[in-house]
């Protein structure tokens, strides 16, 4: 599996990243271990989690798996903190430290490979945030930092500040990028990449790790324009352009002898910059399907045709 190179890491990031927002949910650590083993078996090496996933139990489950397998050096941990709570923003020195230390304890490790701030708070100056994070980078508790649901404008501002003040800036970004374009945020303050964001990543070269890279099942074939039973999917994705993208992905899949959802995943992985996909697979067959999708090569013209970009060029 292709590796994404991100500054500061000891090894590359597998282009498929395992989403773990269900780890710890069932209370069956053995079953969770089996799923994580299946991911590693296809060549994956990076786990995506967050302090808030399953009330912190996702990180605990990953930590127990790593301890049982003795594979810490072979695994990249991507976890996130500073998500706002019922009291509002938690983008402060004390709250970031609290979340980071709790994550380290839960994961049974003394460092986190990729640390992301789970939401931005634009009212806090980016310089202040970078000063906080650089303390942890210098102490070795974090190897590299990134934004999760940060706009590319804020990332650019942050890295400009870092360059001017001799600090480490953000080395990766984790928004939503998928073939179906979100017309409404999944959750409050979520960021989905649009054409402007894709253009910025192409220019800057900043690596991207996309959550909900498969549009929460939109391309599985389980849904139709007439089926409006999934209210969230209707709210976020149901529009004429996305159904046309679905039809084009379906047509291309038939031509290439693959599945529609594999084409949707290949769209993310074939961007003109380093892009990885956080996947929600939970069994061997789903992991194998995603692995097969990594072998699909799409040309710039095919990417433009899939996401209707060529219509804007006429």
């Amino acid at each position: 599996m292709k590796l994404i190179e991100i500054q500061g890491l000891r090894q590359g990031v597998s282009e498929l990243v395992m989403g773990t927002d269900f780890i710890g949910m069932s209370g069956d650590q053995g079953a969770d271990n089996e799923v994580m083993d299946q991911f590693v078996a296809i060549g994956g090496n990076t786990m995506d989690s967050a302090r808030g996933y399953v009330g912190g139990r996702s990180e605990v489950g990953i930590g127990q798996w790593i301890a049982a397998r003795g594979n810490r050096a072979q695994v990249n941990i991507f976890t996130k903190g500073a998500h706002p709570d019922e009291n509002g923003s938690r983008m402060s020195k004390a709250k970031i430290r609290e979340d980071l230390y709790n994550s380290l304890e839960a994961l049974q490790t003394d460092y986190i490979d990729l640390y992301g701030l789970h939401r931005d708070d634009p009212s806090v100056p980016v310089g202040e945030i970078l000063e906080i994070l650089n303390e942890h980078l210098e102490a070795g508790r974090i190897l590299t930092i990134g934004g999760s649901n940060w706009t590319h404008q804020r990332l650019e501002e942050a890295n400009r500040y870092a360059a001017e003040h001799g600090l480490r800036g953000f080395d990766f970004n984790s928004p939503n990028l998928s073939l179906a374009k979100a017309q409404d945020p999944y959750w409050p303050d979520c960021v989905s990449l649009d054409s402007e964001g894709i253009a910025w990543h192409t220019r800057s070269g900043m690596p991207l790790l996309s959550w909900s890279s498969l549009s929460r099942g939109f391309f599985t074939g389980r849904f139709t324009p007439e089926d409006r039973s999934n209210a969230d999917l209707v709210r976020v994705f149901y529009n004429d352009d996305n159904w046309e993208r679905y039809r084009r992905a379906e047509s291309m899949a038939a031509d290439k002898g693959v599945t529609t959802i594999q084409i949707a995943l290949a769209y993310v992985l074939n961007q003109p910059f380093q892009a990885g996909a956080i996947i929600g697979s939970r069994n061997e067959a789903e992991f194998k399907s995603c692995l097969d999708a990594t072998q699909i090569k799409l040309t710039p013209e095919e990417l433009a045709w899939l996401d209707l970009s060529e219509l804007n060029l006429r």
Side-chain angles (χ1 to χ4, degrees):
M1 189 184 302
K2 185 173 71 177
L3 297 179
I4 297 169
E5 299 301 325
I6 298 179
Q7 184 177 346
L9 296 184
R10 299 170 183 174
Q11 61 186 338
V13 171
S14 54
E15 62 180 332
L16 297 179
V17 175
M18 180 175 168
T20 66
D21 58 354
F22 65 94
I23 295 295
M25 189 176 294
S26 69
D28 187 341
Q29 184 65 41
D32 288 344
N33 286 353
E34 183 177 351
V35 178
M36 289 184 275
D37 288 342
Q38 290 169 351
F39 173 66
V40 171
I42 66 165
N45 73 353
T46 304
M47 305 292 184
D48 164 70
S49 189
R51 188 71 210 126
Y53 288 173
V54 201
R57 296 195 301 279
S58 168
E59 290 180 332
V60 170
I62 295 169
Q64 291 181 358
W65 172 71
I66 287 174
R69 299 295 184 263
N71 62 357
R72 178 66 185 95
Q74 289 76 50
V75 174
N76 291 318
I77 296 172
F78 170 27
T79 198
K80 303 174 284 291
H83 193 289
D85 60 19
E86 63 276 7
N87 297 314
S89 174
R90 301 179 69 258
M91 193 69 73
S92 69
K93 183 172 184 175
K95 294 299 184 182
I96 291 173
R97 178 185 175 89
E98 177 185 347
D99 278 359
L100 174 57
Y101 274 67
N102 284 337
S103 290
L104 290 168
E105 181 179 3
L107 290 159
Q108 302 185 50
T109 186
D110 58 2
Y111 71 96
I112 289 169
D113 305 86
L114 303 102
Y115 195 70
L117 296 177
H118 211 166
R119 292 289 191 279
D120 188 14
D121 180 354
S123 71
V124 180
V126 289
E128 180 179 329
I129 295 169
L130 285 174
E131 298 283 354
I132 294 167
L133 292 174
N134 270 256
E135 290 183 18
H136 298 295
L137 286 165
E138 292 170 9
R141 290 183 283 269
I142 300 170
L143 300 187
T144 190
I145 56 175
S148 177
N149 295 295
W150 280 49
T151 66
H152 68 270
Q153 292 92 342
R154 274 278 279 185
L155 291 170
E156 188 171 50
E157 179 188 355
N159 283 0
R160 185 166 54 247
Y161 181 96
E164 293 170 352
H165 294 81
L167 298 172
R168 282 272 304 277
F170 290 103
D171 289 315
F172 70 95
N173 186 24
S174 185
N176 163 245
L177 169 62
S178 59
L179 178 54
K181 307 308 178 189
Q183 61 189 354
D184 196 47
Y186 287 85
W187 301 285
D189 300 321
C190 281
V191 173
S192 292
L193 220 62
D194 56 14
S195 59
E196 183 182 348
I198 290 174
W200 181 83
H201 272 276
T202 303
R203 291 193 307 272
S204 70
M206 180 177 284
L208 180 147
L209 304 176
S210 169
W211 54 265
S212 286
S213 52
L214 292 175
S215 313
R216 304 190 72 77
F218 184 80
F219 292 96
T220 60
R222 298 197 304 265
F223 305 99
T224 66
E226 296 74 32
D227 176 7
R228 306 182 70 84
S229 58
N230 188 316
D232 277 337
L233 209 67
V234 170
R235 175 179 60 85
V236 177
F237 289 123
Y238 274 40
N239 61 42
D240 290 343
D241 280 353
N242 280 335
W243 285 116
E244 177 61 21
R245 292 183 178 102
Y246 179 93
R247 287 187 287 272
R248 293 188 179 200
E250 188 176 43
S251 172
M252 184 179 289
D255 290 343
K256 293 181 179 291
V258 298
T259 65
T260 304
I261 199 165
Q262 286 174 326
I263 291 294
L265 181 54
Y267 167 82
V268 175
L269 300 178
N270 279 270
Q271 292 298 317
F273 48 85
Q274 293 193 97
I278 300 170
I279 57 173
S281 303
R282 301 193 186 188
N283 59 59
E284 190 173 2
E286 291 177 352
F287 282 125
K288 179 62 165 56
S289 172
C290 290
L291 180 62
D292 289 344
T294 68
Q295 302 304 308
I296 300 171
K297 304 305 177 187
L298 300 178
T299 66
E301 292 75 21
E302 287 175 319
L303 290 173
W305 184 75
L306 281 171
D307 72 7
L308 314 186
S309 296
E310 97 287 0
L311 299 179
N312 299 324
L313 302 178
R314 292 176 182 172

